[in-house]
Amino acid sequence: MQNWHDGRDVIKLDGVYQLIGQPDSDGLTYRVALAQILLGSRAFPKVETEKIINELTNEFSPDAQKRYFEAIKAARNSYEPLSGNKAEPDETNSLLSKLDQTIQFIKSVDLMTFHYQNSHDQKDRTYHGLPVTLYFDTFYFYVVFNLENHVAGDYTFFRLDHMTDIYPYGKKKQDPNNKFHLHDQRHYVNLLQMGEQTTYQFKCWISP
């Protein structure tokens, strides 16, 4: 017997394969998978995480809600956000709010202004730039910018959780050459095993 992805089973009866059981009409399996990925990412403070988890239960029947919360109970109860995401932010600087704002700027192709505090010197700096794309990778959301006064194709990466005070810059910067290829970028990230494997040979002398 083989389990089907939507809750049904494939069985072989008299040499014939048959699909039995009821399909997962609520999409329970998929939503549990999304919730487990969310909890495993540790990307959001607890309040925002709970908002997303509860949002995934929209249109669930009471029975499906019960099964959903039972399936994620252990991961939910042990959820521990990353150290930088433990403090509950105000509404305007919440990660979900910044996600929404950035998505709107990308869609409208508008320059935006934001403050940014990097991890090295903790200094707060102001930037103006065109957000080209947004993606998630290894615990964090990143925004790819073509900054003001930079040529097309010159990109700078910013962590979304370090960005604050996002607002329109009041200018447009439309350039057909601003085509960032995320697929290519992923081949250069050392934490993702997507590039070609390279074998090195070297000699090593170790003191006895």
Side-chain angles (χ1 to χ4, degrees), residues 44 94-112 130-136 141-145 160 163 166:
F44 293 91
S94 71
L95 193 54
L96 286 175
S97 175
K98 288 187 282 191
L99 269 172
D100 179 59
Q101 289 176 287
T102 304
I103 290 169
Q104 296 305 318
F105 278 109
I106 293 173
K107 180 180 178 181
S108 61
V109 199
D110 286 329
L111 284 161
M112 60 186 269
L130 176 70
V132 178
T133 194
L134 167 78
Y135 68 97
F136 182 85
F141 287 95
Y142 293 90
V143 187
V144 182
F145 278 91
L160 184 61
M163 294 167 55
I166 297 171

PDB file of all heavy atoms in Angstrom, residues 44 94-112 130-136 141-145 160 163 166:
ATOM      1  N   PHE A  44       9.925  34.893  12.191  1.00  0.00           N
ATOM      2  CA  PHE A  44       9.003  35.906  12.692  1.00  0.00           C
ATOM      3  C   PHE A  44       8.924  35.878  14.220  1.00  0.00           C
ATOM      4  O   PHE A  44       9.083  34.821  14.833  1.00  0.00           O
ATOM      5  CB  PHE A  44       7.597  35.675  12.135  1.00  0.00           C
ATOM      6  CG  PHE A  44       7.475  35.894  10.654  1.00  0.00           C
ATOM      7  CD1 PHE A  44       7.660  34.849   9.771  1.00  0.00           C
ATOM      8  CD2 PHE A  44       7.167  37.142  10.144  1.00  0.00           C
ATOM      9  CE1 PHE A  44       7.539  35.033   8.406  1.00  0.00           C
ATOM     10  CE2 PHE A  44       7.040  37.346   8.787  1.00  0.00           C
ATOM     11  CZ  PHE A  44       7.234  36.289   7.906  1.00  0.00           C
ATOM     12  N   SER A  94       6.665  46.011  11.833  1.00  0.00           N
ATOM     13  CA  SER A  94       6.612  44.555  11.922  1.00  0.00           C
ATOM     14  C   SER A  94       7.122  43.960  10.617  1.00  0.00           C
ATOM     15  O   SER A  94       7.083  44.606   9.553  1.00  0.00           O
ATOM     16  CB  SER A  94       5.181  44.084  12.186  1.00  0.00           C
ATOM     17  OG  SER A  94       4.372  44.269  11.034  1.00  0.00           O
ATOM     18  N   LEU A  95       7.615  42.745  10.672  1.00  0.00           N
ATOM     19  CA  LEU A  95       8.154  42.112   9.473  1.00  0.00           C
ATOM     20  C   LEU A  95       7.071  41.933   8.418  1.00  0.00           C
ATOM     21  O   LEU A  95       7.314  42.127   7.222  1.00  0.00           O
ATOM     22  CB  LEU A  95       8.784  40.761   9.843  1.00  0.00           C
ATOM     23  CG  LEU A  95       9.666  40.097   8.776  1.00  0.00           C
ATOM     24  CD1 LEU A  95      10.758  41.053   8.294  1.00  0.00           C
ATOM     25  CD2 LEU A  95      10.286  38.824   9.321  1.00  0.00           C
ATOM     26  N   LEU A  96       5.860  41.590   8.843  1.00  0.00           N
ATOM     27  CA  LEU A  96       4.763  41.440   7.891  1.00  0.00           C
ATOM     28  C   LEU A  96       4.425  42.768   7.219  1.00  0.00           C
ATOM     29  O   LEU A  96       4.152  42.818   6.023  1.00  0.00           O
ATOM     30  CB  LEU A  96       3.524  40.890   8.602  1.00  0.00           C
ATOM     31  CG  LEU A  96       3.572  39.415   8.987  1.00  0.00           C
ATOM     32  CD1 LEU A  96       2.339  39.036   9.802  1.00  0.00           C
ATOM     33  CD2 LEU A  96       3.670  38.532   7.753  1.00  0.00           C
ATOM     34  N   SER A  97       4.451  43.846   7.992  1.00  0.00           N
ATOM     35  CA  SER A  97       4.177  45.168   7.428  1.00  0.00           C
ATOM     36  C   SER A  97       5.248  45.557   6.421  1.00  0.00           C
ATOM     37  O   SER A  97       4.956  46.085   5.333  1.00  0.00           O
ATOM     38  CB  SER A  97       4.097  46.205   8.549  1.00  0.00           C
ATOM     39  OG  SER A  97       3.950  47.514   8.019  1.00  0.00           O
ATOM     40  N   LYS A  98       6.511  45.289   6.753  1.00  0.00           N
ATOM     41  CA  LYS A  98       7.600  45.623   5.834  1.00  0.00           C
ATOM     42  C   LYS A  98       7.559  44.759   4.579  1.00  0.00           C
ATOM     43  O   LYS A  98       7.897  45.221   3.478  1.00  0.00           O
ATOM     44  CB  LYS A  98       8.939  45.479   6.560  1.00  0.00           C
ATOM     45  CG  LYS A  98       9.170  46.578   7.589  1.00  0.00           C
ATOM     46  CD  LYS A  98      10.563  46.542   8.196  1.00  0.00           C
ATOM     47  CE  LYS A  98      10.700  45.468   9.239  1.00  0.00           C
ATOM     48  NZ  LYS A  98      11.977  45.609   9.999  1.00  0.00           N
ATOM     49  N   LEU A  99       7.133  43.519   4.725  1.00  0.00           N
ATOM     50  CA  LEU A  99       6.932  42.662   3.553  1.00  0.00           C
ATOM     51  C   LEU A  99       5.896  43.266   2.622  1.00  0.00           C
ATOM     52  O   LEU A  99       6.104  43.365   1.406  1.00  0.00           O
ATOM     53  CB  LEU A  99       6.477  41.265   3.999  1.00  0.00           C
ATOM     54  CG  LEU A  99       7.529  40.207   4.263  1.00  0.00           C
ATOM     55  CD1 LEU A  99       6.884  38.972   4.871  1.00  0.00           C
ATOM     56  CD2 LEU A  99       8.253  39.833   2.978  1.00  0.00           C
ATOM     57  N   ASP A 100       4.777  43.674   3.189  1.00  0.00           N
ATOM     58  CA  ASP A 100       3.693  44.240   2.390  1.00  0.00           C
ATOM     59  C   ASP A 100       4.138  45.520   1.692  1.00  0.00           C
ATOM     60  O   ASP A 100       3.883  45.713   0.493  1.00  0.00           O
ATOM     61  CB  ASP A 100       2.488  44.525   3.293  1.00  0.00           C
ATOM     62  CG  ASP A 100       1.326  45.132   2.526  1.00  0.00           C
ATOM     63  OD1 ASP A 100       0.841  44.485   1.580  1.00  0.00           O
ATOM     64  OD2 ASP A 100       0.904  46.254   2.867  1.00  0.00           O
ATOM     65  N   GLN A 101       4.821  46.405   2.417  1.00  0.00           N
ATOM     66  CA  GLN A 101       5.287  47.657   1.823  1.00  0.00           C
ATOM     67  C   GLN A 101       6.263  47.402   0.676  1.00  0.00           C
ATOM     68  O   GLN A 101       6.156  48.012  -0.391  1.00  0.00           O
ATOM     69  CB  GLN A 101       5.974  48.518   2.892  1.00  0.00           C
ATOM     70  CG  GLN A 101       5.035  49.113   3.918  1.00  0.00           C
ATOM     71  CD  GLN A 101       5.809  49.863   4.995  1.00  0.00           C
ATOM     72  OE1 GLN A 101       6.469  49.272   5.849  1.00  0.00           O
ATOM     73  NE2 GLN A 101       5.752  51.185   4.946  1.00  0.00           N
ATOM     74  N   THR A 102       7.200  46.502   0.894  1.00  0.00           N
ATOM     75  CA  THR A 102       8.206  46.224  -0.129  1.00  0.00           C
ATOM     76  C   THR A 102       7.575  45.620  -1.374  1.00  0.00           C
ATOM     77  O   THR A 102       7.944  45.971  -2.508  1.00  0.00           O
ATOM     78  CB  THR A 102       9.284  45.277   0.429  1.00  0.00           C
ATOM     79  OG1 THR A 102       9.843  45.849   1.617  1.00  0.00           O
ATOM     80  CG2 THR A 102      10.391  45.052  -0.588  1.00  0.00           C
ATOM     81  N   ILE A 103       6.631  44.725  -1.185  1.00  0.00           N
ATOM     82  CA  ILE A 103       5.933  44.116  -2.326  1.00  0.00           C
ATOM     83  C   ILE A 103       5.246  45.183  -3.164  1.00  0.00           C
ATOM     84  O   ILE A 103       5.271  45.153  -4.403  1.00  0.00           O
ATOM     85  CB  ILE A 103       4.915  43.072  -1.827  1.00  0.00           C
ATOM     86  CG1 ILE A 103       5.641  41.853  -1.268  1.00  0.00           C
ATOM     87  CG2 ILE A 103       3.973  42.642  -2.954  1.00  0.00           C
ATOM     88  CD1 ILE A 103       4.741  40.897  -0.508  1.00  0.00           C
ATOM     89  N   GLN A 104       4.627  46.165  -2.494  1.00  0.00           N
ATOM     90  CA  GLN A 104       3.941  47.236  -3.213  1.00  0.00           C
ATOM     91  C   GLN A 104       4.922  48.093  -4.008  1.00  0.00           C
ATOM     92  O   GLN A 104       4.636  48.508  -5.137  1.00  0.00           O
ATOM     93  CB  GLN A 104       3.149  48.106  -2.229  1.00  0.00           C
ATOM     94  CG  GLN A 104       2.019  47.388  -1.513  1.00  0.00           C
ATOM     95  CD  GLN A 104       1.041  46.730  -2.466  1.00  0.00           C
ATOM     96  OE1 GLN A 104       0.664  47.309  -3.486  1.00  0.00           O
ATOM     97  NE2 GLN A 104       0.640  45.509  -2.142  1.00  0.00           N
ATOM     98  N   PHE A 105       6.096  48.375  -3.441  1.00  0.00           N
ATOM     99  CA  PHE A 105       7.091  49.175  -4.152  1.00  0.00           C
ATOM    100  C   PHE A 105       7.644  48.418  -5.359  1.00  0.00           C
ATOM    101  O   PHE A 105       7.898  49.006  -6.417  1.00  0.00           O
ATOM    102  CB  PHE A 105       8.235  49.575  -3.212  1.00  0.00           C
ATOM    103  CG  PHE A 105       7.933  50.769  -2.357  1.00  0.00           C
ATOM    104  CD1 PHE A 105       7.720  50.639  -0.997  1.00  0.00           C
ATOM    105  CD2 PHE A 105       7.865  52.039  -2.916  1.00  0.00           C
ATOM    106  CE1 PHE A 105       7.449  51.740  -0.206  1.00  0.00           C
ATOM    107  CE2 PHE A 105       7.593  53.152  -2.140  1.00  0.00           C
ATOM    108  CZ  PHE A 105       7.380  53.002  -0.771  1.00  0.00           C
ATOM    109  N   ILE A 106       7.856  47.135  -5.207  1.00  0.00           N
ATOM    110  CA  ILE A 106       8.329  46.328  -6.335  1.00  0.00           C
ATOM    111  C   ILE A 106       7.298  46.327  -7.456  1.00  0.00           C
ATOM    112  O   ILE A 106       7.637  46.479  -8.636  1.00  0.00           O
ATOM    113  CB  ILE A 106       8.638  44.888  -5.873  1.00  0.00           C
ATOM    114  CG1 ILE A 106       9.838  44.868  -4.924  1.00  0.00           C
ATOM    115  CG2 ILE A 106       8.922  43.985  -7.080  1.00  0.00           C
ATOM    116  CD1 ILE A 106      10.105  43.519  -4.289  1.00  0.00           C
ATOM    117  N   LYS A 107       6.043  46.190  -7.081  1.00  0.00           N
ATOM    118  CA  LYS A 107       4.968  46.156  -8.070  1.00  0.00           C
ATOM    119  C   LYS A 107       4.834  47.474  -8.815  1.00  0.00           C
ATOM    120  O   LYS A 107       4.630  47.504 -10.037  1.00  0.00           O
ATOM    121  CB  LYS A 107       3.646  45.802  -7.376  1.00  0.00           C
ATOM    122  CG  LYS A 107       2.456  45.729  -8.316  1.00  0.00           C
ATOM    123  CD  LYS A 107       1.189  45.379  -7.554  1.00  0.00           C
ATOM    124  CE  LYS A 107      -0.020  45.342  -8.483  1.00  0.00           C
ATOM    125  NZ  LYS A 107      -1.272  45.032  -7.740  1.00  0.00           N
ATOM    126  N   SER A 108       4.947  48.583  -8.095  1.00  0.00           N
ATOM    127  CA  SER A 108       4.747  49.899  -8.699  1.00  0.00           C
ATOM    128  C   SER A 108       6.014  50.465  -9.340  1.00  0.00           C
ATOM    129  O   SER A 108       5.974  51.515  -9.975  1.00  0.00           O
ATOM    130  CB  SER A 108       4.234  50.888  -7.651  1.00  0.00           C
ATOM    131  OG  SER A 108       5.168  51.030  -6.588  1.00  0.00           O
ATOM    132  N   VAL A 109       7.148  49.772  -9.187  1.00  0.00           N
ATOM    133  CA  VAL A 109       8.441  50.206  -9.726  1.00  0.00           C
ATOM    134  C   VAL A 109       8.767  51.623  -9.238  1.00  0.00           C
ATOM    135  O   VAL A 109       9.130  52.504 -10.021  1.00  0.00           O
ATOM    136  CB  VAL A 109       8.478  50.140 -11.272  1.00  0.00           C
ATOM    137  CG1 VAL A 109       9.928  50.140 -11.767  1.00  0.00           C
ATOM    138  CG2 VAL A 109       7.757  48.925 -11.782  1.00  0.00           C
ATOM    139  N   ASP A 110       8.622  51.845  -7.938  1.00  0.00           N
ATOM    140  CA  ASP A 110       8.906  53.140  -7.340  1.00  0.00           C
ATOM    141  C   ASP A 110      10.137  53.064  -6.449  1.00  0.00           C
ATOM    142  O   ASP A 110      10.366  52.058  -5.773  1.00  0.00           O
ATOM    143  CB  ASP A 110       7.720  53.614  -6.486  1.00  0.00           C
ATOM    144  CG  ASP A 110       6.555  54.087  -7.330  1.00  0.00           C
ATOM    145  OD1 ASP A 110       6.806  54.594  -8.442  1.00  0.00           O
ATOM    146  OD2 ASP A 110       5.402  53.953  -6.883  1.00  0.00           O
ATOM    147  N   LEU A 111      10.896  54.153  -6.441  1.00  0.00           N
ATOM    148  CA  LEU A 111      12.005  54.257  -5.500  1.00  0.00           C
ATOM    149  C   LEU A 111      11.467  54.386  -4.084  1.00  0.00           C
ATOM    150  O   LEU A 111      10.418  55.006  -3.861  1.00  0.00           O
ATOM    151  CB  LEU A 111      12.865  55.479  -5.818  1.00  0.00           C
ATOM    152  CG  LEU A 111      13.799  55.359  -7.032  1.00  0.00           C
ATOM    153  CD1 LEU A 111      14.217  56.730  -7.512  1.00  0.00           C
ATOM    154  CD2 LEU A 111      15.020  54.534  -6.669  1.00  0.00           C
ATOM    155  N   MET A 112      12.166  53.819  -3.140  1.00  0.00           N
ATOM    156  CA  MET A 112      11.752  53.915  -1.745  1.00  0.00           C
ATOM    157  C   MET A 112      12.927  54.364  -0.892  1.00  0.00           C
ATOM    158  O   MET A 112      14.092  54.196  -1.250  1.00  0.00           O
ATOM    159  CB  MET A 112      11.201  52.573  -1.242  1.00  0.00           C
ATOM    160  CG  MET A 112      12.180  51.423  -1.308  1.00  0.00           C
ATOM    161  SD  MET A 112      11.416  49.831  -0.867  1.00  0.00           S
ATOM    162  CE  MET A 112      11.748  49.802   0.888  1.00  0.00           C
ATOM    163  N   LEU A 130      15.630  51.399  -5.760  1.00  0.00           N
ATOM    164  CA  LEU A 130      14.533  50.665  -6.395  1.00  0.00           C
ATOM    165  C   LEU A 130      14.599  49.207  -5.962  1.00  0.00           C
ATOM    166  O   LEU A 130      15.573  48.509  -6.280  1.00  0.00           O
ATOM    167  CB  LEU A 130      14.646  50.760  -7.911  1.00  0.00           C
ATOM    168  CG  LEU A 130      13.619  49.963  -8.712  1.00  0.00           C
ATOM    169  CD1 LEU A 130      12.233  50.591  -8.560  1.00  0.00           C
ATOM    170  CD2 LEU A 130      14.009  49.894 -10.185  1.00  0.00           C
ATOM    171  N   PRO A 131      13.593  48.710  -5.230  1.00  0.00           N
ATOM    172  CA  PRO A 131      13.581  47.285  -4.890  1.00  0.00           C
ATOM    173  C   PRO A 131      13.233  46.460  -6.128  1.00  0.00           C
ATOM    174  O   PRO A 131      12.216  46.692  -6.774  1.00  0.00           O
ATOM    175  CB  PRO A 131      12.491  47.189  -3.824  1.00  0.00           C
ATOM    176  CG  PRO A 131      11.569  48.330  -4.123  1.00  0.00           C
ATOM    177  CD  PRO A 131      12.423  49.422  -4.698  1.00  0.00           C
ATOM    178  N   VAL A 132      14.107  45.529  -6.469  1.00  0.00           N
ATOM    179  CA  VAL A 132      13.943  44.750  -7.690  1.00  0.00           C
ATOM    180  C   VAL A 132      13.243  43.422  -7.419  1.00  0.00           C
ATOM    181  O   VAL A 132      12.371  42.993  -8.165  1.00  0.00           O
ATOM    182  CB  VAL A 132      15.308  44.509  -8.361  1.00  0.00           C
ATOM    183  CG1 VAL A 132      15.157  43.662  -9.616  1.00  0.00           C
ATOM    184  CG2 VAL A 132      15.968  45.845  -8.699  1.00  0.00           C
ATOM    185  N   THR A 133      13.630  42.778  -6.320  1.00  0.00           N
ATOM    186  CA  THR A 133      12.985  41.515  -5.965  1.00  0.00           C
ATOM    187  C   THR A 133      13.151  41.257  -4.474  1.00  0.00           C
ATOM    188  O   THR A 133      13.959  41.899  -3.800  1.00  0.00           O
ATOM    189  CB  THR A 133      13.550  40.342  -6.789  1.00  0.00           C
ATOM    190  OG1 THR A 133      12.689  39.206  -6.667  1.00  0.00           O
ATOM    191  CG2 THR A 133      14.942  39.960  -6.314  1.00  0.00           C
ATOM    192  N   LEU A 134      12.383  40.309  -3.993  1.00  0.00           N
ATOM    193  CA  LEU A 134      12.359  39.945  -2.579  1.00  0.00           C
ATOM    194  C   LEU A 134      12.414  38.432  -2.497  1.00  0.00           C
ATOM    195  O   LEU A 134      11.732  37.738  -3.256  1.00  0.00           O
ATOM    196  CB  LEU A 134      11.071  40.477  -1.937  1.00  0.00           C
ATOM    197  CG  LEU A 134      10.679  39.986  -0.556  1.00  0.00           C
ATOM    198  CD1 LEU A 134      11.509  40.699   0.493  1.00  0.00           C
ATOM    199  CD2 LEU A 134       9.200  40.268  -0.298  1.00  0.00           C
ATOM    200  N   TYR A 135      13.233  37.898  -1.575  1.00  0.00           N
ATOM    201  CA  TYR A 135      13.278  36.447  -1.438  1.00  0.00           C
ATOM    202  C   TYR A 135      13.671  36.060  -0.023  1.00  0.00           C
ATOM    203  O   TYR A 135      14.182  36.875   0.746  1.00  0.00           O
ATOM    204  CB  TYR A 135      14.241  35.818  -2.459  1.00  0.00           C
ATOM    205  CG  TYR A 135      15.703  36.130  -2.243  1.00  0.00           C
ATOM    206  CD1 TYR A 135      16.548  35.248  -1.580  1.00  0.00           C
ATOM    207  CD2 TYR A 135      16.258  37.318  -2.741  1.00  0.00           C
ATOM    208  CE1 TYR A 135      17.889  35.528  -1.392  1.00  0.00           C
ATOM    209  CE2 TYR A 135      17.607  37.603  -2.566  1.00  0.00           C
ATOM    210  CZ  TYR A 135      18.417  36.704  -1.888  1.00  0.00           C
ATOM    211  OH  TYR A 135      19.745  36.987  -1.704  1.00  0.00           O
ATOM    212  N   PHE A 136      13.424  34.802   0.317  1.00  0.00           N
ATOM    213  CA  PHE A 136      13.751  34.271   1.635  1.00  0.00           C
ATOM    214  C   PHE A 136      14.858  33.248   1.486  1.00  0.00           C
ATOM    215  O   PHE A 136      14.834  32.409   0.588  1.00  0.00           O
ATOM    216  CB  PHE A 136      12.527  33.609   2.276  1.00  0.00           C
ATOM    217  CG  PHE A 136      12.781  33.090   3.664  1.00  0.00           C
ATOM    218  CD1 PHE A 136      12.665  33.929   4.764  1.00  0.00           C
ATOM    219  CD2 PHE A 136      13.144  31.765   3.875  1.00  0.00           C
ATOM    220  CE1 PHE A 136      12.909  33.466   6.055  1.00  0.00           C
ATOM    221  CE2 PHE A 136      13.389  31.290   5.154  1.00  0.00           C
ATOM    222  CZ  PHE A 136      13.267  32.145   6.247  1.00  0.00           C
ATOM    223  N   PHE A 141      14.572  37.266   5.228  1.00  0.00           N
ATOM    224  CA  PHE A 141      14.106  37.824   3.967  1.00  0.00           C
ATOM    225  C   PHE A 141      15.142  38.833   3.488  1.00  0.00           C
ATOM    226  O   PHE A 141      15.684  39.615   4.277  1.00  0.00           O
ATOM    227  CB  PHE A 141      12.760  38.538   4.143  1.00  0.00           C
ATOM    228  CG  PHE A 141      11.601  37.611   4.331  1.00  0.00           C
ATOM    229  CD1 PHE A 141      11.167  37.278   5.609  1.00  0.00           C
ATOM    230  CD2 PHE A 141      10.935  37.070   3.239  1.00  0.00           C
ATOM    231  CE1 PHE A 141      10.097  36.425   5.794  1.00  0.00           C
ATOM    232  CE2 PHE A 141       9.863  36.208   3.410  1.00  0.00           C
ATOM    233  CZ  PHE A 141       9.437  35.887   4.693  1.00  0.00           C
ATOM    234  N   TYR A 142      15.395  38.820   2.202  1.00  0.00           N
ATOM    235  CA  TYR A 142      16.331  39.771   1.597  1.00  0.00           C
ATOM    236  C   TYR A 142      15.626  40.561   0.501  1.00  0.00           C
ATOM    237  O   TYR A 142      14.778  40.025  -0.223  1.00  0.00           O
ATOM    238  CB  TYR A 142      17.533  39.042   0.992  1.00  0.00           C
ATOM    239  CG  TYR A 142      18.417  38.369   2.025  1.00  0.00           C
ATOM    240  CD1 TYR A 142      18.181  37.061   2.424  1.00  0.00           C
ATOM    241  CD2 TYR A 142      19.488  39.051   2.597  1.00  0.00           C
ATOM    242  CE1 TYR A 142      18.985  36.439   3.370  1.00  0.00           C
ATOM    243  CE2 TYR A 142      20.307  38.446   3.545  1.00  0.00           C
ATOM    244  CZ  TYR A 142      20.047  37.138   3.926  1.00  0.00           C
ATOM    245  OH  TYR A 142      20.839  36.534   4.866  1.00  0.00           O
ATOM    246  N   VAL A 143      16.017  41.837   0.386  1.00  0.00           N
ATOM    247  CA  VAL A 143      15.508  42.688  -0.682  1.00  0.00           C
ATOM    248  C   VAL A 143      16.694  43.094  -1.548  1.00  0.00           C
ATOM    249  O   VAL A 143      17.724  43.545  -1.030  1.00  0.00           O
ATOM    250  CB  VAL A 143      14.807  43.952  -0.142  1.00  0.00           C
ATOM    251  CG1 VAL A 143      14.152  44.715  -1.286  1.00  0.00           C
ATOM    252  CG2 VAL A 143      13.774  43.584   0.916  1.00  0.00           C
ATOM    253  N   VAL A 144      16.553  42.918  -2.852  1.00  0.00           N
ATOM    254  CA  VAL A 144      17.602  43.282  -3.795  1.00  0.00           C
ATOM    255  C   VAL A 144      17.288  44.666  -4.344  1.00  0.00           C
ATOM    256  O   VAL A 144      16.203  44.897  -4.880  1.00  0.00           O
ATOM    257  CB  VAL A 144      17.689  42.262  -4.943  1.00  0.00           C
ATOM    258  CG1 VAL A 144      18.830  42.625  -5.897  1.00  0.00           C
ATOM    259  CG2 VAL A 144      17.875  40.850  -4.400  1.00  0.00           C
ATOM    260  N   PHE A 145      18.232  45.598  -4.196  1.00  0.00           N
ATOM    261  CA  PHE A 145      18.027  46.984  -4.601  1.00  0.00           C
ATOM    262  C   PHE A 145      18.997  47.404  -5.701  1.00  0.00           C
ATOM    263  O   PHE A 145      20.160  46.996  -5.722  1.00  0.00           O
ATOM    264  CB  PHE A 145      18.257  47.936  -3.422  1.00  0.00           C
ATOM    265  CG  PHE A 145      17.084  48.071  -2.497  1.00  0.00           C
ATOM    266  CD1 PHE A 145      16.966  47.235  -1.393  1.00  0.00           C
ATOM    267  CD2 PHE A 145      16.115  49.039  -2.708  1.00  0.00           C
ATOM    268  CE1 PHE A 145      15.902  47.357  -0.520  1.00  0.00           C
ATOM    269  CE2 PHE A 145      15.048  49.172  -1.847  1.00  0.00           C
ATOM    270  CZ  PHE A 145      14.929  48.330  -0.747  1.00  0.00           C
ATOM    271  N   LEU A 160      15.654  42.358   5.250  1.00  0.00           N
ATOM    272  CA  LEU A 160      14.420  43.083   5.496  1.00  0.00           C
ATOM    273  C   LEU A 160      14.204  43.391   6.972  1.00  0.00           C
ATOM    274  O   LEU A 160      13.681  44.449   7.329  1.00  0.00           O
ATOM    275  CB  LEU A 160      13.226  42.284   4.950  1.00  0.00           C
ATOM    276  CG  LEU A 160      11.860  42.949   5.036  1.00  0.00           C
ATOM    277  CD1 LEU A 160      11.833  44.241   4.230  1.00  0.00           C
ATOM    278  CD2 LEU A 160      10.766  41.996   4.538  1.00  0.00           C
ATOM    279  N   MET A 163      15.663  46.675   8.068  1.00  0.00           N
ATOM    280  CA  MET A 163      15.128  47.884   7.445  1.00  0.00           C
ATOM    281  C   MET A 163      14.011  48.474   8.305  1.00  0.00           C
ATOM    282  O   MET A 163      13.181  47.742   8.836  1.00  0.00           O
ATOM    283  CB  MET A 163      14.598  47.570   6.042  1.00  0.00           C
ATOM    284  CG  MET A 163      15.677  47.146   5.054  1.00  0.00           C
ATOM    285  SD  MET A 163      15.019  46.429   3.516  1.00  0.00           S
ATOM    286  CE  MET A 163      13.933  47.735   2.958  1.00  0.00           C
ATOM    287  N   ILE A 166      10.158  52.705   6.249  1.00  0.00           N
ATOM    288  CA  ILE A 166      10.047  52.610   4.791  1.00  0.00           C
ATOM    289  C   ILE A 166       8.983  53.596   4.297  1.00  0.00           C
ATOM    290  O   ILE A 166       7.863  53.619   4.804  1.00  0.00           O
ATOM    291  CB  ILE A 166       9.671  51.178   4.376  1.00  0.00           C
ATOM    292  CG1 ILE A 166      10.780  50.203   4.799  1.00  0.00           C
ATOM    293  CG2 ILE A 166       9.431  51.093   2.877  1.00  0.00           C
ATOM    294  CD1 ILE A 166      10.398  48.733   4.616  1.00  0.00           C
TER     295      ILE A 166
END
